[in-house]
Amino acid sequence: MKDKNKRIKLGRRLFAVFFILIIVLFIMVGKLGYIMIAKSQQYEQKALAQRTTDITISPKRGDILDRNGEILATSLSAFRVDVDMNALTNSLKEKKMSRDTLISKLSSILNISSAKVKNILYPERSDGSKIKYAILARQIDKPQSDKIKALELNGLIISSDTKREYPNDNFLSSVLGYTNLEGNGVTGVELSYNKELSGVPGRKKLETDKNKSQLPYDESLYVAPINGKNIVLTIDKNIQLYAETAAEQALSQNKAKSVTITVMDPNTGEILAMVNKPDYNPNTPNAKPPSGVSQTVDQLWQNNAVQANFEPGSIFKVITAYTGLATGTVKDINAYDFECNGSKNIDGTVINCWQASGHGGENFIDILKNSCNVGFMELGAKIGKQNLYNYIKLFGFGQKTGIDLPGEATGMVRDVSKVTNVDLATEAFGQGISLTSVQYMAAFNAVANGGTWIRPHIMNKITYTKDGKVVTDKEYNNFGKKKILDSALVNSLKVGLRAVVSDEHGVGHNADIANYNIAGKTGTAQIADPKTGGYNHSKYMASFAGMAPVNNPKITLLVSVNQPNAENDSYYASTVAAPVAKILYQQIFNYLASKGEFQLPTPSTQTTQTPNN
């Protein structure tokens, strides 16, 4: 009986064990079925991801060219090195190569420090984890790529890359800008037209073995990149070269902090040259500034013609003068309506003319020719602050021009309700208001071309190559043209601006070339001192704005010399900026004549005199 009970109990236990095994088996089969059916696609994708490599293929960035097709920026073929750390670790074990040996070899090939290589491959992380993938190097050349391949280490993945090159180094650098390692524009044209220049990346996806070597039977996925489009600028390389040379000489000869020159076609808004000195080399944008340069790297990247505000001084008298004509304040340009005794008292504040002895009785032409501060204070008072501010707005000051370059500043114009009589007096001759070079040039061009405001621009057209032929994708069309000035009044103003340069006593006479009919205006502005809230009496901005020939201007320009040497009164625009303009006009018109675009006048002799202001 006892044996029978034992057998029954044993049978029950065996049945229980068998039942449990059956349940476990069903669970395992169910789980396996779930994995194989419901989760099959997910695990298949994971497995595929582990044995495939997806490589982005960079497109060739478009070129930047001058208006005549000269290449200013281009992209060259290069290589990049990416790292699969798992494959690399296994390969190092197979070849019995230590980490230190690897780091030393890579450092030597890539010309970067061992510490940097180590930090890329084996960074110290707070959680002690290791990286799986890393970018080791970008934009390396073929010899370096070949040396990496010669190591025969799996996990070092070499693929195509591009490297941006600026064949003329510093030439036009503040306009062109530069690109980062990812090939994206950081400043200048490279940034403002980054989308058009960049193109569309391609892809290469291939299946690999455990060592990340491509399987011989695998057909890789390949999507070709679409290369970027080319940007053709309005810049003329030859005119740019003249301006670069002139700016460099002005910077050195005047021991100035900086020099900015802009040359334009007033009838189209095209920028023919734009220079900022000192500058930088976009091939090495982060290089330390040369000895003697006070600007930081970031400041050297800045395009002062577009991004820097400055008080214009007497070149702003062109705006006040037109306002006087347009409002009927000046009815007869030959009438002696102004009297300069060397200074004027405005509500208890004495404001001096640059000529302490005064200019005496003057007409409208005289106050322009002599750049008389007292005459313009009187003209400003007669115009009235509301009228003056209406025309300041009409000319576009205090607002962006919309130029197709990044970082444009707006300038600073007071609210008319806060303008005092002293403010009105100083702003009438260009102090107490700030603007940018391109703002001023847009306004000055409206005077030059007979009254039409046209947006300054740097892009001429966008092109690409198809079947070996250059195709124009887009031409610049955002001119924003608007008639803002009366042509007859502009012609009267031009008479005064011509006298500024042609008269032997005119403040702009040092810019004159016989029979070229150059007109313009000088300006010598004190620079504001942020520490005192007043003006620094040893720092000046010397400028000359010119147009030629005055009856039908083809070329306008603005030369600004920031903080020229103030010793012996050598900071006046007449002696600092006007001679630079003279050199430029001579070179530019000789060049245009060689192309048949200008008829040089018959040479004649002329006398010169060194005026002030």
Side-chain angles (χ1 to χ4, degrees), residues 39 47 80 87 90-91 117 127 154 176-177 187 267 272 285 306 400 430 432 447 456 462 469 515 534 542 552 593 605:
K39 303 288 286 185
R80 63 181 286 170
N90 292 332
S91 189
V117 175
D127 59 0
N154 294 318
L176 294 175
T187 60
N267 304 297
L272 304 176
V306 176
K400 296 180 180 181
V447 175
I462 300 173
K469 296 182 180 180
N515 301 323
N552 182 24
T605 58

Side-chain angles (χ1 to χ4, degrees), residues 583-600:
I583 293 170
L584 281 173
Y585 271 124
Q586 185 76 69
Q587 293 175 325
I588 292 169
F589 282 126
N590 282 342
Y591 166 64
L592 294 179
S594 71
K595 296 174 63 180
E597 297 177 8
F598 182 73
Q599 181 66 48
L600 289 174

Side-chain angles (χ1 to χ4, degrees), residues 481-535:
K481 289 185 179 182
K482 50 189 174 182
K483 182 76 171 179
I484 63 170
L485 310 179
D486 182 274
S487 299
L489 297 180
V490 163
N491 289 336
S492 295
L493 176 56
K494 286 182 178 180
V495 173
L497 296 178
R498 174 63 185 137
V500 169
V501 179
S502 63
D503 192 290
E504 64 177 3
H505 299 293
V507 291
H509 191 56
N510 281 344
D512 197 27
I513 304 173
N515 301 323
Y516 276 61
N517 292 320
I518 299 170
K521 186 69 192 74
T522 58
T524 307
Q526 290 179 312
I527 293 177
D529 188 338
K531 293 181 179 179
T532 64
Y535 288 96

Side-chain angles (χ1 to χ4, degrees), residues 174-335:
S174 62
V175 172
L176 294 175
Y178 70 96
T179 60
N180 57 22
L181 285 175
E182 284 67 46
N184 292 315
V186 178
T187 60
V189 173
E190 295 280 24
L191 175 58
S192 55
Y193 288 99
N194 186 63
K195 181 179 178 181
E196 291 81 0
L197 288 163
S198 293
V200 180
R203 285 181 62 203
K204 184 177 182 181
K205 191 172 184 179
L206 48 90
E207 191 171 352
T208 60
D209 62 17
K210 66 175 184 176
N211 294 319
K212 290 297 177 179
S213 297
Q214 183 176 358
L215 295 174
Y217 56 79
D218 177 62
E219 292 185 5
S220 60
L221 168 70
Y222 178 78
V223 178
I226 300 173
N227 292 334
K229 296 173 183 176
N230 301 323
I231 305 297
V232 180
L233 304 182
T234 59
I235 295 290
D236 186 303
K237 187 177 178 180
N238 292 289
I239 296 176
Q240 179 71 23
L241 179 60
Y242 302 145
E244 295 253 354
T245 303
E248 195 67 61
Q249 291 175 346
L251 182 72
S252 175
Q253 292 173 359
N254 296 289
K255 300 177 182 178
K257 181 178 180 180
S258 63
V259 176
T260 300
I261 297 176
T262 304
V263 182
M264 294 185 67
D265 181 337
N267 304 297
T268 63
E270 293 180 338
I271 297 170
L272 304 176
M274 182 174 280
V275 182
N276 296 280
K277 295 289 183 179
D279 52 20
Y280 71 102
N281 187 339
N283 291 305
T284 54
N286 294 299
K288 184 179 179 181
S291 176
V293 174
S294 61
Q295 289 89 336
T296 64
V297 171
D298 289 0
Q299 289 170 332
L300 291 179
W301 295 341
Q302 180 172 288
N303 184 347
N304 290 333
V306 176
Q307 297 174 279
N309 293 322
F310 71 102
E311 292 194 26
S314 294
I315 60 172
F316 191 76
K317 290 173 181 174
V318 175
I319 309 305
T320 307
Y322 180 82
T323 305
L325 293 169
T327 56
T329 305
V330 176
K331 294 181 173 61
D332 182 355
I333 63 174
N334 297 306

Side-chain angles (χ1 to χ4, degrees), residues 58-63 73-80 138-142 144 160-167 179-183 190 282-284:
S58 300
K60 182 181 183 297
R61 189 173 178 85
D63 293 339
T74 190
S75 291
L76 304 177
S77 296
F79 300 88
R80 63 181 286 170
R138 295 286 309 272
Q139 300 179 353
I140 65 173
D141 55 30
K142 190 175 187 303
Q144 290 174 303
S160 62
D161 200 1
T162 58
K163 181 179 181 180
R164 200 63 165 166
E165 181 178 82
Y166 304 88
T179 60
N180 57 22
L181 285 175
E182 284 67 46
E190 295 280 24
N283 291 305
T284 54

